[in-house]
Structures are given as structure tokens and as C-alpha cells.
Amino acid sequence: MSQSMKKEWSNIRGGFLLVEIILATSVFVLFMTAFAGVFYYGLQSSFIAGDRSRAVIFAEEGQEAVRSIKNTNFSNLTNGTYGLTYTNNTWNLSGSSDTSGIFTRTVTISSIDANRKNILVNVSWQQTPDRTGNVSLSGRLTNWKTILNPGVGLTINKIV
């Protein structure tokens, strides 16, 4: 092999080495970008799931609070949209909403009939700058004391 052919072969091998280095670097950067994306979105999903779990607990607390108000006196449940406050070991309907951290809760009460109410507890929060989270729980409350004692306040005449 002549000297010029050896030099040419050396240049070709050097060119392939440069292509291999560029290709390997590109594949490495691609994998690192994919790994960083998976890690970031996984972390963000964990935060969103945690916020949703806390929102559900906050909404359930709202349902239990309204049930507590009903147990004190069913007539305290008037139709409308409220927030909740806890003072002197008692839950009360107050304002149009209440907040805890990033969460805003509203309680909507509507009548079905004289002894039954629909309760809707809605909790909302800002998940990301572009996305709002929302959890809604609904239920019905009954004035069971009146239903179980329909004769309260009535006089029954016995026919003999």
C-alpha cells in the first residue's frame, strides 16, 4: 500500500469516527431529554394526584359539617350557596365560600320537599397556570325526626 493510500484510508476512518461521536452524542442527548421529561411529568402527576386527594377530603369534611348542622336543627339548612366556619365546636353556614390553602369550597343547599334537602359540596383549586381542578360531592339529607314521628303535634281521637 502506498503512502498516499494509507493517508487517504486514515482520513476516511477519522471521518467515520467523527460521525460515530456525533451520532452517539445525539442518542445520549435524546435519551436524557426523554428521561427528564418522564421524570418531570411523573412528578407533576404526583402533585396533581395529591392535591386531588386533599380536595376530596376537604369536600367530605364539608358534607360532614352540613350533616352536623342538620343534626342540630334541620331548619338551619336554608336554600342557597354558603361557605363553612367552625367556631365554638360548632359548624355554621357562612358567606358564599370558604378556603383552606389553595382550595375553595362552596356548599349549595336546595330543597326536594319539606323534609329533604340536596347538598352539593364543590371544591376548586388552581392545578397549573392553565388548569383548574374541581371535585364535587353530592348527597341528600332528611329530617328523619319529623318523618319518624308523624303524629307529633297531632291529636288522635279514638273511636270507641
Side-chain angles (χ1 to χ4, degrees), residues 54-147:
R54 284 186 290 282
V56 168
I57 291 169
F58 194 47
E60 288 173 345
E61 178 189 53
Q63 283 187 318
E64 292 299 321
V66 174
R67 187 172 287 112
S68 174
I69 293 168
K70 180 220 44 134
N71 290 340
T72 302
N73 189 348
F74 188 80
S75 64
N76 289 340
L77 299 179
T78 55
N79 293 345
T81 301
Y82 304 96
L84 294 166
T85 59
Y86 188 71
T87 54
N88 299 325
N89 296 325
T90 305
W91 285 101
N92 299 296
L93 298 171
S94 172
S96 60
S97 66
D98 64 291
T99 60
S100 176
I102 62 171
F103 304 105
T104 301
R105 174 175 56 197
T106 58
V107 176
T108 304
I109 300 171
S110 58
S111 293
I112 298 170
D113 58 33
N115 292 310
R116 291 185 299 167
K117 302 275 186 177
N118 273 327
I119 308 299
L120 176 66
V121 179
N122 187 48
V123 175
S124 59
W125 70 100
Q126 196 67 39
Q127 285 182 339
T128 65
D130 302 329
R131 193 167 149 187
T132 301
N134 190 33
V135 170
S136 293
L137 299 178
S138 64
R140 288 188 174 173
L141 296 177
T142 303
N143 189 5
W144 57 270
K145 292 177 184 177
T146 302
I147 292 173

Side-chain angles (χ1 to χ4, degrees), residues 9-70:
W9 180 252
S10 177
N11 286 341
I12 292 173
R13 281 189 9 201
F16 280 123
L17 181 62
L18 181 61
V19 169
E20 288 173 353
I21 289 172
I22 290 172
L23 183 62
T25 303
S26 299
V27 169
F28 177 75
V29 168
L30 181 68
F31 281 125
M32 289 307 294
T33 303
F35 176 74
V38 167
F39 179 75
Y40 172 75
Y41 288 116
L43 193 60
Q44 187 178 26
S45 294
S46 294
F47 284 126
I48 289 171
D51 286 346
R52 182 169 174 74
S53 294
R54 284 186 290 282
V56 168
I57 291 169
F58 194 47
E60 288 173 345
E61 178 189 53
Q63 283 187 318
E64 292 299 321
V66 174
R67 187 172 287 112
S68 174
I69 293 168
K70 180 220 44 134

